[in-house]
Amino acid sequence: MSPELAYVMGCLVANGGLTDSHRFGNIPMTTNNEVIGEKYVSYIKALFGVDVKVATRKNGTGHEVTNYSICSVYVRDFLAKNDLSFVASNKKHIPESVLRSDEECVRAFLSGYISSDSETMTKGSAEFILSTASPRLHNDLKSLLLSFGVFARSLIKYKAATNGTGIKRKYGSLCITSDNRARLLELIDLDKECLNIDAPRLRSDSDKIPFL
């Protein structure tokens, strides 16, 4: 495990279409944050020597999203052997290889995950919101943050996926506020584009696709 691989895994657990790979090895990762996208592409090329196809499309709600796609059975098999599970969003979890790795890699995973899939809210004080449809991932993230001394408050809510179905599903949210947010920012590197808290609401990825 390396920090670069851990960061890539963080992006994929956050916004990767892990059920789309099939036998052709197609692995899409969605983000509208160019900073994250460029870092993801550079790490993929450095780790595997493969190209990443970048394409913009409209999702089910008519919003434009940018896909960063790898098409490689080798990469898919390598990631699977390193404990990345190719499952639906409601069954995602943190790979065991990340949990067993050193602190630098764990921090890199959290950097990739939180940069790719978090919201910043301001209501007098800023807070990070981490939402997931996977109960296991929710608990994994909460435990991992707590191991670094970062407390996150758990909330359960129902919201519609952005795939156009309009079906509301159960999501677990982790709210990280005040001193805990400051502690988190001391621990991990987040792209500056994701740290602007002047606006009432900022999402590090302007459009998430919950059920890829």
Side-chain angles (χ1 to χ4, degrees):
M1 181 61 63
S2 67
E4 293 79 12
L5 179 58
Y7 182 92
V8 165
M9 285 189 168
C11 293
L12 288 172
V13 172
N15 272 346
L18 300 184
T19 57
D20 293 345
S21 60
H22 305 304
R23 62 189 177 91
F24 298 110
N26 180 47
I27 310 169
M29 193 280 292
T30 303
T31 180
N32 281 349
N33 185 315
E34 291 183 4
V35 176
I36 297 167
E38 289 175 1
K39 183 182 290 188
Y40 179 81
V41 169
S42 69
Y43 284 176
I44 290 295
K45 288 184 176 180
L47 288 165
F48 304 111
V50 300
D51 292 327
V52 179
K53 181 180 179 181
V54 182
T56 301
R57 64 176 178 82
K58 289 187 177 181
N59 67 4
T61 60
H63 293 92
E64 285 194 347
V65 295
T66 303
N67 276 350
Y68 295 78
S69 297
I70 311 163
C71 191
S72 169
V73 173
Y74 162 73
V75 173
R76 184 198 185 284
D77 290 347
F78 178 89
L79 292 172
K81 287 178 181 178
N82 281 272
D83 306 318
L84 183 68
S85 297
F86 287 82
V87 295
S89 293
N90 62 341
K91 297 185 182 299
K92 286 184 176 181
H93 58 87
I94 298 177
E96 289 294 326
S97 60
V98 172
L99 296 175
R100 294 193 302 265
S101 63
D102 60 29
E103 184 175 313
E104 183 182 8
C105 291
V106 173
R107 291 185 182 189
F109 174 87
L110 286 173
S111 177
Y113 184 92
I114 296 174
S115 293
S116 299
D117 199 4
S118 64
E119 301 175 28
T120 298
M121 307 287 287
T122 56
K123 295 178 180 178
S125 63
E127 62 181 24
F128 278 137
I129 309 292
L130 310 180
S131 297
T132 175
S134 167
R136 180 177 175 181
L137 180 56
H138 177 91
N139 291 330
D140 283 353
L141 288 167
K142 187 170 185 177
S143 296
L144 194 58
L145 290 168
L146 193 58
S147 72
F148 285 109
V150 177
F151 176 76
R153 179 167 49 95
S154 294
L155 295 174
I156 301 298
K157 60 182 179 180
Y158 289 83
K159 64 179 183 179
T162 58
N163 55 13
T165 64
I167 299 173
K168 289 189 175 182
R169 299 181 172 95
K170 185 178 180 180
Y171 285 80
S173 294
L174 295 173
C175 304
I176 306 168
T177 61
S178 57
D179 292 344
N180 288 289
R181 182 183 186 277
R183 169 64 176 159
L184 179 63
L185 295 180
E186 291 175 357
L187 289 167
I188 64 175
D189 294 325
L190 296 183
D191 299 300
K192 290 182 180 179
E193 188 175 331
C194 302
L195 299 180
N196 174 18
I197 62 173
D198 296 329
R201 180 175 181 136
L202 174 72
R203 296 172 71 157
S204 61
D205 181 356
S206 60
D207 189 84
K208 292 188 292 185
I209 304 179
F211 274 79
L212 284 169

